[in-house]
Amino acid sequence: MTVYQAIRARRSIRKYVPGAPLPQEDLHTILEAAMMAPSARNGRPWEFVVVRSPAVKEQIRQAHPYCAYITDASAAIVVCGRPSPEEQKEGERGEFWPQDCAAAIENLMLQALELGYGTVWCGLYPVKDRCDAIREIIGVDSVPMAIVLVGRPDEAPDARGYFDPTRVKEID
């Protein structure tokens, strides 16, 4: 699969094959791809919490209004940002942790697709109540930015994205 093909084939998957395994080597490959994402000044301000526990997935489902399909996913990967206080000064790299984590999420999703998994990005940040609830459930001090569900897809939705030339401005 080329990058061109992966970008055009990726879909938000909300139905998963219940009980489908996610082998450790595939998880490692997916997380490695996420950590290969670019970040401001190579700050790598992220951490990843992999949730497979049905009980914890149920807690997340109850805390997140748009994460109902978590129960059948093989895993939920919570992507957390780690902005350090000393880097929060204006113009420093700490301000860019949301973009850095977003790049990691896209890499994660494209790598999962190549391995035959479906994913969906369930946003958390900047909704404070959601972030706080998930932070407590997974026990981190960092900022939960998103939950990416990963599993064998049990649906094949049509593409919803498309090239829109009206959204392009060229300056020569």
Side-chain angles (χ1 to χ4, degrees):
M1 176 178 294
T2 67
V3 173
Y4 180 90
Q5 292 166 328
I7 289 169
R8 284 151 186 81
R10 193 212 56 78
R11 302 287 186 272
S12 292
I13 300 298
R14 292 175 176 84
K15 293 180 183 173
Y16 300 93
V17 175
L22 174 59
Q24 194 62 34
E25 57 271 17
D26 287 353
L27 177 63
H28 176 89
T29 301
I30 290 167
L31 293 173
E32 179 183 34
M35 292 184 203
M36 294 298 294
S39 63
R41 297 181 63 195
N42 200 33
R44 301 166 47 88
W46 47 59
E47 69 179 327
F48 304 87
V49 178
V50 179
V51 178
R52 295 182 194 251
S53 161
V56 177
K57 287 196 296 185
E58 177 59 23
Q59 289 178 339
I60 291 171
R61 188 191 67 74
Q62 290 182 22
H64 195 301
Y66 304 106
C67 216
Y69 20 89
I70 191 172
T71 52
D72 289 337
S74 301
I77 301 174
V78 185
V79 180
C80 301
R82 298 174 37 214
S84 63
E86 62 272 10
E87 295 173 350
Q88 291 299 306
K89 299 177 192 131
E90 188 173 335
E92 296 291 331
R93 70 177 181 232
E95 294 180 351
F96 296 105
W97 69 267
Q99 292 98 312
D100 298 341
C101 288
I105 292 167
E106 186 68 12
N107 277 14
L108 183 161
M109 294 172 75
L110 291 173
Q111 182 63 70
L113 174 68
E114 183 189 40
L115 295 173
Y117 298 98
T119 59
V120 68
W121 179 332
C122 302
L124 293 168
Y125 181 83
V127 182
K128 186 177 180 346
D129 292 347
R130 279 189 213 159
C131 291
D132 291 345
I134 300 303
R135 180 184 295 118
E136 185 175 325
I137 291 168
I138 64 174
V140 296
D141 292 327
S142 52
V143 181
M145 176 165 175
I147 301 166
V148 180
L149 305 183
V150 181
R152 292 291 175 194
D154 198 16
E155 66 175 344
D158 291 334
R160 293 173 65 182
Y162 58 92
F163 177 73
D164 182 354
T166 66
R167 301 283 182 121
V168 179
K169 177 180 179 177
E170 293 190 42
I171 302 173
D172 293 325

